Amino acid sequence: MYSNGTCEDNSAVAEGFCGWFHDSIVCWPPTPAGSKAYHACADIQDLQEPCHTGKAFRFCDDSGFWDELADYSACLPQQEKDRGAMPSIVAYLYFSLSLMSLVLLMVCMYIFIMFRSLQCPRLTVHKHLVASLLLFYISLLVYLEPYITKRKLGPDYREYPWFCKFILVLQVYSQMASTNWLFNEGFYLHSRITVQIFNSEAPVILFNIVGWVMPLGWVMVWAGMMESELAEVDCTLDCWAGWSNSPYIWLLTAPMMSAYFVNLLFLLNIVRILVSKLQANSTPEVDQVRLVFLQVF
């Protein structure tokens, strides 16, 4: 085995090993002949990128001598491939449609609030769903704006790590909230058509817990896990870069996928009930509706 020396004292090592070697960038430890020594890019002080996941390496040949040059290619900035104009077109289209959706949702909320004749228990659920979607599109537009406008003047939320994370958390939370309120819509409609759990009034307190409180719990756990994962290194400027590829993303996607799946079951059951009721009645009006229904499906 090699000794516990360092690059400074250049202690001797056992035969069949490359000795301590400093190439002005990295101190390479004794390494068995015919193998490679690796050094994390995040530990290279001159690089100043503590969140880098790559590794540099230097080869120790069979004679016990280091190669003349180490391979630092994994630590160098990667040049982005030119993917043409399509990504930009999709980004601008996504931003434009999101802005249009925001305007239409604001009009929808105005109608819900101003027209008293529309007030009913079911409308309360609609208002909360529209409110969650408004919050989602506002946070989404704020998040996308610097990438779309590519402005170089004025402050950018990405320059402030805490604000960048706040925008991201708000976007994720509002997306989960809108999913849960959509689940509330399906649950309430299903209960009215089938077992009639609720006679007339929507259970506002229960729906508020499902629609606003539950997503907050999931998002807080997710944000805590993301922050703790990067707590040992200074990755604050990355604003949780690559968060969508983290294994913790299942804390967000699993509840949303479950809500969509249950809503699909609600829809299938509602369609089944409507079909059975159409088959049970035989009037000219029902026959006409049945004909239209069969043409559609």
Side-chain angles (χ1 to χ4, degrees):
M1 295 293 294
Y2 57 81
S3 66
N4 295 324
T6 63
C7 288
E8 286 71 21
D9 60 31
N10 197 22
S11 301
V13 297
E15 186 177 354
F17 280 76
C18 291
W20 292 94
F21 180 71
H22 198 291
D23 60 2
S24 76
I25 299 178
V26 167
C27 176
W28 299 95
T31 302
S35 62
K36 295 178 180 179
Y38 292 90
H39 194 91
C41 300
D43 296 334
I44 300 177
Q45 295 182 355
D46 295 339
L47 188 62
Q48 295 183 349
E49 291 192 20
C51 299
H52 204 300
T53 58
K55 290 184 179 181
F57 69 88
R58 181 182 287 271
F59 183 70
C60 175
D61 62 25
D62 296 334
S63 302
F65 292 96
W66 291 108
D67 274 2
E68 183 177 356
L69 297 175
D71 190 333
Y72 289 99
S73 59
C75 301
L76 299 177
Q78 299 295 323
Q79 294 183 351
E80 295 185 0
K81 297 181 180 179
D82 186 8
R83 295 179 292 179
M86 185 57 66
S88 298
I89 295 175
V90 173
Y92 281 107
L93 183 62
Y94 188 38
F95 186 83
S96 301
L97 292 177
S98 298
L99 183 59
M100 185 184 303
S101 298
L102 178 63
V103 174
L104 294 176
L105 285 168
M106 292 176 66
V107 173
C108 184
M109 182 63 80
Y110 174 81
I111 294 173
F112 284 165
I113 294 175
M114 297 304 297
F115 289 84
R116 299 285 183 179
S117 59
L118 297 177
Q119 303 303 317
C120 64
R122 188 169 63 254
L123 188 64
T124 303
V125 184
H126 296 341
K127 288 180 181 178
H128 284 279
L129 175 60
V130 172
S132 62
L133 290 173
L134 281 170
L135 187 62
F136 170 69
Y137 281 110
I138 291 174
S139 61
L140 180 62
L141 290 172
V142 173
Y143 184 81
L144 293 177
E145 183 271 332
Y147 299 96
I148 297 297
T149 60
K150 298 179 181 179
R151 56 187 171 88
K152 298 181 179 180
L153 299 178
D156 188 339
Y157 73 85
R158 294 174 296 182
E159 300 175 4
Y160 307 96
W162 66 270
F163 191 44
C164 181
K165 294 176 183 178
F166 172 76
I167 295 297
L168 179 59
V169 168
L170 183 62
Q171 178 188 348
V172 172
Y173 169 71
S174 58
Q175 186 176 9
M176 289 197 72
S178 61
T179 300
N180 281 25
W181 276 107
L182 188 62
F183 168 80
N184 287 339
E185 290 267 13
F187 178 68
Y188 185 61
L189 178 61
H190 184 267
S191 64
R192 294 288 293 170
I193 293 178
T194 57
V195 294
Q196 293 187 357
I197 299 176
F198 314 115
N199 294 325
S200 58
E201 297 294 331
V204 178
I205 297 179
L206 175 61
F207 282 174
N208 278 325
I209 293 175
V210 174
W212 296 117
V213 179
M214 288 181 61
L216 182 62
W218 285 110
V219 172
M220 289 179 62
V221 173
W222 169 76
M225 296 297 289
M226 289 297 300
E227 191 68 20
S228 63
E229 183 182 26
L230 305 177
E232 297 181 359
V233 292
D234 184 16
C235 296
T236 54
L237 296 179
D238 286 341
C239 192
W240 297 334
W243 63 273
S244 59
N245 297 321
S246 171
Y248 303 129
I249 192 65
W250 285 103
L251 291 170
L252 307 176
T253 57
M256 290 192 293
M257 291 174 62
S258 300
Y260 287 131
F261 178 73
V262 175
N263 257 3
L264 177 61
L265 296 181
F266 287 157
L267 175 62
L268 294 177
N269 194 37
I270 291 173
V271 172
R272 180 189 63 82
I273 293 173
L274 293 178
V275 170
S276 63
K277 288 185 177 181
L278 287 174
Q279 292 175 346
N281 294 280
S282 180
T283 63
E285 292 80 5
V286 173
D287 291 338
Q288 185 177 2
V289 173
R290 185 188 299 117
L291 179 61
V292 174
F293 183 85
L294 293 175
Q295 290 176 349
V296 173
F297 292 94

